[in-house]
């Protein structure tokens, strides 16, 4: 099984990490940590460095947990959701795990636009993890 994780910030005690460990172990899955980053001449190099550093921290953490893991920095120029969905479909992912945050009472019922677009357009199951 292959699990893609929309991943932008490493947190060893985070809900995303806990969900990834649980699912990867339960399904004997390989994990693909993916971060979609804006491209262009006006985008600071620090953004790329920070993204790569977080991906590597995550990879190291999951490898120490005995979970096969790869990192992907998506730089296609698409929206974050489009990047995630394209990679997942092109690489035949079995599941996508993304983080969501509710900002208000209404926000608890309606996900943000990235999460909503990913959920509604994915060709595989999407697990949404509350990051509060």
């Amino acid at each position: 099984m292959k699990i893609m994780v929309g991943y932008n910030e490493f947190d060893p005690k985070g809900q995303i990490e806990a969900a990834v460990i649980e699912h990867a172990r339960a399904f004997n899955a390989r994990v693909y940590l993916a971060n979609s980053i804006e491209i262009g001449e006006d985008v600071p190099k620090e953004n790329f460095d920070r993204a790569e550093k977080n991906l590597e921290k995550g990879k190291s953490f999951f490898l120490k947990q005995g979970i096969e893991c790869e990192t992907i920095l998506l730089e296609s120029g698409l929206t974050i959701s489009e990047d995630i969905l394209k990679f997942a479909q092109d690489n035949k992912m079995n599941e996508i795990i993304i983080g969501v945050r509710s900002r208000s009472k209404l926000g608890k019922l309606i996900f943000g636009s990235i999460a909503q677009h990913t959920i509604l357009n994915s060709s595989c199951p999407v697990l949404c993890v509350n990051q509060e």
Side-chain angles (χ1 to χ4, degrees):
M1 181 170 180
K2 298 192 285 186
I3 298 173
M4 178 182 183
V5 183
Y7 202 76
N8 62 4
E9 190 171 342
F10 173 69
D11 180 0
K13 296 181 181 177
Q15 296 298 320
I16 291 255
E17 288 78 4
V20 170
I21 290 169
E22 183 177 339
H23 280 236
R25 287 183 177 158
F27 300 112
N28 193 29
R30 174 180 280 278
V31 171
Y32 296 80
L33 299 179
N35 188 323
S36 173
I37 191 162
E38 183 180 350
I39 58 173
E41 293 179 13
D42 57 335
V43 178
K45 183 181 179 314
E46 293 82 33
N47 291 9
F48 291 92
D49 295 341
R50 185 173 36 257
E52 288 176 340
K53 184 177 178 180
N54 276 311
L55 287 171
E56 287 305 314
K57 282 182 181 179
K59 179 179 180 179
S60 177
F61 173 78
F62 290 118
L63 290 173
K64 287 178 185 173
Q65 303 295 320
I67 296 168
E68 294 181 54
C69 185
E70 293 183 30
T71 61
I72 304 96
L73 189 57
L74 303 169
E75 306 173 50
S76 69
L78 300 172
T79 66
I80 293 170
S81 180
E82 290 169 338
D83 265 345
I84 290 170
L85 293 170
K86 181 174 180 354
F87 182 86
Q89 187 165 358
D90 289 351
N91 293 280
K92 297 178 177 34
M93 293 292 133
N94 301 101
E95 180 180 53
I96 298 171
I97 299 177
I98 58 173
V100 295
R101 294 174 200 230
S102 58
R103 295 169 294 274
S104 66
K105 288 183 181 183
L106 181 60
K108 292 178 183 177
L109 298 173
I110 302 172
F111 295 112
S113 60
I114 294 169
Q116 184 177 16
H117 186 265
T118 303
I119 294 163
L120 294 175
N121 294 287
S122 179
S123 59
C124 65
V126 178
L127 173 65
C128 298
V129 178
N130 187 358
Q131 290 189 286
E132 292 187 309

